[in-house]
Amino acid sequence: MFRDRDDAARQLAQALAAYRGSNPLVLAIPRGAVPMGKVLADDLGGELDVVLVRKLGAPYQPELALGAIDE
């Protein structure tokens, strides 16, 4: 489906082409989503901002994230 994260971001930008030129705000969470958000914001001519979140972990599985929490 996607070659890599950049390819996924470019495909998403194509799907959101209606927003190109309207200066959309792209919000991304740290790690893997920030580079994708940069590609998306650049392709759509928008701005990128980072949302700092805390991982909501799964019981007894510290590496598994069930979600994220923001203030």
Side-chain angles (χ1 to χ4, degrees), residues 53-66:
V53 297
R54 182 167 179 209
K55 178 175 78 172
L56 177 61
Y60 311 110
Q61 297 182 3
E63 295 301 316
L64 179 62
L66 294 177

Side-chain angles (χ1 to χ4, degrees), residues 25-38 40 47-53:
L25 175 61
V26 177
L27 300 174
I29 59 175
R31 295 197 177 193
V34 173
M36 292 178 69
K38 174 78 169 120
L40 186 59
E47 298 180 40
L48 172 67
D49 200 357
V50 177
V51 178
L52 299 177
V53 297

Side-chain angles (χ1 to χ4, degrees), residues 2 7-20 40 43-44:
F2 309 113
D7 180 48
R10 284 189 196 90
Q11 288 187 40
L12 180 57
Q14 288 176 355
L16 298 173
Y19 296 100
R20 188 170 282 125
L40 186 59
D43 283 359
L44 295 178

